[in-house]
């Protein structure tokens, strides 16, 4: 099988990782159990099924290739991978038992998940793990899935995880179309169009760079979100009823996502005030990732991400004004589109040659704190109920990677009528993460109260 070269953004994720800042995403699923041995049975099932999933057998290997001069000029500012690239390829020594691990019974699933999230994945093996945590109560167990961001984004990770759960029907993915044959030189008939595309790319790159510079100067964040990193991790979760979110949305307008982001802003305000840090004038920059993947994409494994950047109105004491500010900011971002502005900085990965990602990875990782203060992302989940070994999935908390220089990331999923907030933080910088999780549910209750019946 021909190795599958990493897309530029995947390559960036692979190279900005360090031992203290692993670039894996995760999800903690809680299942109801029919017996105390359900967790052990689940681990056996996961290991047996993983062996049959091609995507879970893929490792990432460094490759050193000459530049491909046959690429059309239309892609001229999106350099070929060249030297310093990486590729996915089947691992000839793949053993699922290295990736599926059964742990001792846990009293607190989130406490166990935090310790596991801080451990980097092994880079010489397929970069994913599944940790099975039997519950001490004997009536539940949890599974923590970890996938490196270079192997899978949120949607791809969901597909891979679903493949080892009980059989279910997922939308088929269209096969990758065969590349058209081409000669060693670009087609001169396409040069005018290629030149226009190249100039457009230059303009977009300059626009994104200028927007990043502007946003780095004019906002005030809080040390609680940008403390010096320690490499430790802590997780927590909050659950709210989707009907309550719709109640607020119908009362004030906007989208469900507007409400969910405003809840994060209000929860941060509560949490910071209780810490005694004060919130006057605080407006941390939130990065809201936006998927550019088309449905039934021909390239299902590559990251296709842009993003919106916005200031969270933490300093505003009025919950409805906070929601209005979030809605207005999201409307402005949508009007501009995901291809321009500071939030689209991930698109610049396409303009960097592979060797640049390898050599510049540490520098890019350091720059994240200059770009945004907190990540707030939504992860799609299927509407149908999921099971493992016949045991129903009752809760699922997504976890986003934590960038260098940032103390907190928030991921949100809706599953079976409930919204799950998954919080991951630097354990030493944010020892009171559970208090922030409680503030999420309190903020929803406040919004319901102020919106009225």
């Amino acid at each position: 099988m021909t190795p599958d070269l990493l897309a530029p953004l995947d390559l960036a994720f692979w190279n900005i990782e360090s031992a203290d800042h692993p670039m894996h995403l995760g999800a903690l699923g809680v299942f109801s159990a029919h017996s105390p041995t359900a967790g052990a049975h689940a681990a056996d099932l996961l290991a047996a099924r993983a062996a049959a999933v091609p995507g879970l057998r893929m490792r990432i290997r460094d490759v050193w290739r000459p530049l491909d001069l046959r690429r059309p000029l239309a892609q001229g500012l999106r350099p070929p991978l060249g030297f310093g690239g990486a590729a996915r390829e089947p691992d000839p020594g793949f053993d699922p038992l290295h990736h599926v691990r059964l742990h001792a019974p846990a009293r607190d699933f989130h406490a166990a998940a935090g310790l596991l999230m801080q451990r980097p994945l092994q880079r010489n093996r397929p970069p994913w793990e599944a940790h099975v945590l039997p519950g001490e109560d004997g009536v539940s167990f949890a599974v923590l899935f970890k996938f490196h961001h270079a192997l899978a984004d949120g949607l791809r990770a969901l597909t891979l995880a679903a493949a080892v759960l009980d059989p279910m029907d997922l939308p088929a993915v269209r096969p990758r179309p065969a590349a058209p044959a081409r000669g060693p030189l670009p087609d001169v008939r396409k040069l005018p169009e290629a030149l226009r595309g190249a100039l457009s790319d230059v303009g977009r790159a300059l626009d994104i760079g200028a927007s990043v510079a502007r946003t780095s100067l004019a906002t005030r964040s809080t040390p609680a979100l940008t403390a010096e990193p320690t490499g430790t991790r802590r997780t927590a979760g909050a659950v709210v009823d989707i009907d309550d979110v719709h109640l607020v949305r119908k009362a004030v307008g906007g989208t469900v996502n507007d409400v969910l982001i405003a809840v994060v802003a209000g929860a941060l305000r509560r949490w910071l005030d209780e810490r005694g840090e004060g919130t006057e004038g605080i407006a941390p920059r939130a990065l809201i990732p936006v998927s550019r993947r088309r449905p039934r994409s021909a390239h299902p494994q590559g990251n296709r991400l842009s993003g919106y950047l916005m200031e969270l109105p933490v300093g505003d004491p009025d919950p409805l004004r906070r929601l209005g500010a979030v809605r207005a900011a999201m409307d402005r971002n949508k009007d501009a589109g995901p291809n321009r502005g500071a939030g689209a900085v991930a698109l610049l990965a396409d303009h960097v040659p592979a060797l640049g990602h390898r050599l510049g990875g540490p520098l890019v990782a350091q720059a994240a704190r200059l770009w945004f203060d907190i990540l707030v992302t939504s992860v799609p989940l299927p509407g149908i109920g999921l099971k493992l070994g016949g045991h129903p999935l009752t809760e699922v908390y997504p976890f986003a990677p934590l960038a260098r220089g940032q103390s907190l990331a928030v991921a949100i999923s809706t599953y079976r009528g409930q919204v799950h907030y998954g919080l991951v933080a630097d354990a030493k910088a944010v020892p009171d993460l559970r208090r922030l999780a409680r503030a999420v549910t309190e903020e929803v209750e406040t919004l319901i109260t102020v919106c009225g019946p």
Side-chain angles (χ1 to χ4, degrees):
M1 177 183 290
T2 303
D4 178 27
L5 296 175
L6 294 191
L9 187 54
D10 298 334
L11 191 60
F13 286 135
W14 188 245
N15 283 294
I16 65 177
E17 180 175 66
S18 67
D20 288 339
H21 296 88
M23 288 302 298
H24 53 253
L25 47 86
L28 180 67
V30 180
F31 298 80
S32 63
H34 301 158
S35 72
T37 61
H41 178 56
D44 292 340
L45 280 177
L46 291 174
R49 294 172 177 176
V53 181
L56 296 178
R57 303 176 66 93
M58 303 298 284
R59 68 178 180 179
I60 296 177
R61 181 175 64 86
D62 293 334
V63 294
W64 299 85
R65 300 176 44 141
L67 299 179
D68 183 0
L69 298 179
R70 298 176 301 170
R71 289 175 61 130
L73 185 61
Q75 301 178 34
L77 289 183
R78 299 184 179 93
L81 284 173
F83 296 103
R88 301 180 191 85
E89 64 177 12
D91 182 1
F94 176 70
D95 183 351
L97 294 181
H98 288 149
H99 301 266
V100 180
R101 299 169 189 175
L102 177 65
H103 294 262
R107 177 179 301 175
D108 185 332
F109 292 143
H110 276 290
L115 294 175
L116 293 170
M117 282 294 290
Q118 71 188 36
R119 302 180 189 175
L121 295 166
Q122 297 188 51
R123 292 170 68 91
N124 62 338
R125 291 176 176 164
W128 69 274
E129 293 174 352
H131 297 270
V132 181
L133 307 166
E136 281 190 350
D137 55 14
V139 296
S140 65
F141 67 90
V143 179
L144 174 68
F145 287 101
K146 294 168 56 179
F147 294 95
H148 198 287
H149 218 327
L151 178 70
D153 60 7
L155 184 58
R156 177 65 172 169
L158 168 64
T159 303
L160 292 174
V164 292
L165 298 181
D166 290 353
M168 57 180 290
D169 294 327
L170 288 176
V173 176
R174 293 177 182 175
R176 177 177 299 190
R182 55 179 182 248
L185 295 176
D187 186 343
V188 295
R189 293 170 298 180
K190 297 182 178 180
L191 289 179
E193 178 184 352
L195 183 58
R196 285 195 298 270
L199 292 175
S200 175
D201 283 348
V202 169
R204 183 172 64 179
L206 292 174
D207 175 73
I208 293 171
S211 296
V212 171
R214 287 194 299 269
T215 58
S216 300
L217 299 174
T219 59
R220 179 176 175 232
S221 186
T222 169
L225 300 181
T226 56
E228 285 301 315
T230 66
T232 58
R233 294 291 181 271
R234 187 184 306 274
T235 74
V239 182
V240 299
D241 197 307
I242 189 63
D243 289 340
D244 291 339
V245 177
H246 281 299
L247 187 153
V248 175
R249 178 191 61 80
K250 291 176 181 177
V252 300
T255 69
V256 165
N257 202 43
D258 294 341
V259 178
L260 298 179
I261 296 172
V263 167
V264 174
L268 287 173
R269 178 181 176 82
R270 292 171 181 271
W271 175 63
L272 291 171
D273 281 341
E274 290 186 10
R275 277 181 150 211
E277 297 187 14
T279 53
E280 183 178 356
I282 295 295
R285 295 158 299 179
L287 176 64
I288 316 294
V290 177
S291 175
R292 298 172 62 243
R293 186 195 300 280
R294 295 179 179 178
R296 299 177 180 269
S297 168
H299 302 275
Q301 69 276 29
N303 277 284
R304 300 288 297 166
L305 292 173
S306 180
Y308 297 147
L309 199 68
M310 62 178 294
E311 296 179 14
L312 293 180
V314 172
D316 194 323
D318 186 288
L320 292 183
R321 283 204 305 264
R322 287 196 296 268
L323 179 50
V326 166
R327 179 182 176 185
M330 289 298 290
D331 286 345
R332 288 193 297 271
N333 276 305
K334 292 172 186 176
D335 288 342
N339 295 327
R340 288 189 176 273
V345 73
L347 301 182
L348 297 181
D350 289 344
H351 301 266
V352 178
L355 187 59
H357 283 297
R358 180 180 295 275
L359 299 178
L363 181 62
V364 172
Q366 292 282 2
R369 63 166 49 177
L370 301 177
W371 173 30
F372 65 97
D373 302 305
I374 182 173
L375 180 73
V376 182
T377 184
S378 295
V379 182
L381 289 178
I384 61 176
L386 302 175
K387 295 182 179 181
L388 178 55
H391 304 284
L393 176 67
T394 58
E395 304 170 48
V396 56
Y397 302 95
F399 300 132
L402 196 58
R404 182 185 293 271
Q406 290 158 352
S407 303
L408 175 67
V410 181
I412 310 168
S413 283
T414 301
Y415 175 71
R416 307 289 284 176
Q418 292 184 315
V419 180
H420 293 82
Y421 283 80
L423 313 179
V424 61
D426 185 289
K428 293 186 178 179
V430 188
D432 52 347
L433 187 62
R434 289 187 178 182
R435 180 65 197 95
L436 177 58
R438 288 197 299 272
V440 168
T441 58
E442 292 168 357
E443 181 65 14
V444 173
E445 293 170 357
T446 296
L447 284 169
I448 293 172
T449 300
V450 298
C451 287

